[in-house]
Amino acid sequence: AAFDLIMKALNIVITGGPGSGKTSICEYLRDNDYQTYPEGARQIIEQGIQPPIATANSQQDPGFGEKILHSRINDYLDSHNHELCFFDRGLPDGLAFSHFLNKEPDQTLLDAIDRYRYDHIFILTPWKEIYCQDSVRQESFEIAELISHYCTRAYKDSGYRLVEVPQLPIPERATFILNELRIELSTSVKRF
């Protein structure tokens, strides 16, 4: 009997608190010819728009969340042009930050989370030894831990199963993710 693998585009999110290594893993995957989508928030902050957690009174540019939402939706839609894509954060991260800021999530965000679904979610836990602040990442490590908690909750509340990535050097973390995906893919093999 022959075996065949049912192929479809795979959308994989790498999430977690700030400074846990998401961007470094995505950059490593990109450098090894995988399609990746950068974190939209970092790009928006680098344009000079301040996020709510960076300001003393938690006021934000009224368009900050909307810009991130549109960026993530556009990335998701573009991902259909590729067979395998990695996202540095996904739509449920917007829900995590709403909870962190003690704000009611926007209905547009909730609708997008329901509509645009990812195939696999990998979460990175806070790792004090690698954590560092920069001009964009201004949160303390304690705040990063709290955001990580909200990320876990947001993805679980959105109906996802999370795979925790061990604290290893970047190439080994990327290999762990790819191996997990191979395990998942092998369960999709159908007998004809």
Side-chain angles (χ1 to χ4, degrees):
F3 290 87
D4 195 2
L5 183 63
I6 295 176
M7 299 300 289
K8 73 178 201 80
L10 287 177
N11 293 325
I12 296 102
V13 171
I14 300 174
T15 190
S20 57
K22 300 175 308 302
T23 300
S24 295
I25 293 170
C26 285
E27 288 172 351
Y28 179 84
L29 290 167
R30 182 200 65 216
D31 292 345
N32 283 277
D33 298 324
Y34 289 95
Q35 174 64 39
T36 61
Y37 292 93
E39 182 179 4
R42 179 170 279 275
Q43 294 174 319
I44 292 168
I45 294 166
E46 287 172 348
Q47 294 170 5
I49 300 171
Q50 290 300 304
I53 55 179
T55 56
N57 59 4
S58 287
Q59 294 290 318
Q60 70 177 38
D61 179 292
F64 188 84
E66 186 177 325
K67 287 177 183 174
I68 293 172
L69 176 62
H70 288 300
S71 171
R72 289 185 179 144
I73 290 172
N74 287 338
D75 288 348
Y76 182 92
L77 294 173
D78 182 73
S79 72
H80 288 83
N81 296 316
H82 309 280
E83 290 182 10
L84 176 65
C85 302
F86 293 91
F87 297 85
D88 186 344
R89 295 200 181 281
L91 289 161
D93 283 274
L95 181 60
F97 281 93
S98 292
H99 290 311
F100 170 73
L101 295 168
N102 201 24
K103 293 186 177 181
E104 224 17 73
D106 185 81
Q107 188 60 46
T108 307
L109 169 64
L110 297 174
D111 292 343
I113 289 170
D114 286 340
R115 181 173 182 185
Y116 305 110
R117 304 295 293 175
Y118 302 100
D119 297 298
H120 301 279
I121 310 299
F122 290 91
I123 189 158
L124 282 62
T125 57
W127 189 358
K128 194 162 193 166
E129 288 74 21
I130 68 165
Y131 188 80
C132 62
Q133 295 171 298
D134 60 26
S135 62
V136 174
R137 184 186 310 118
Q138 299 177 7
E139 305 87 7
S140 68
F141 181 73
E142 292 71 28
I143 295 295
E145 289 181 303
L146 188 56
I147 292 170
S148 179
H149 162 77
Y150 283 116
C151 287
T152 299
R153 179 176 144 198
Y155 279 90
K156 286 184 176 179
D157 288 352
S158 299
Y160 289 105
R161 181 181 73 85
L162 287 78
V163 175
E164 186 175 316
V165 178
Q167 295 177 342
L168 299 165
I170 291 165
E172 292 176 40
R173 291 177 120 188
T175 299
F176 173 86
I177 291 169
L178 294 171
N179 285 341
E180 284 292 311
L181 291 170
R182 287 187 188 106
I183 291 167
E184 290 287 332
L185 288 172
S186 69
T187 63
S188 299
V189 174
K190 305 283 185 187
R191 185 184 298 264
F192 291 95

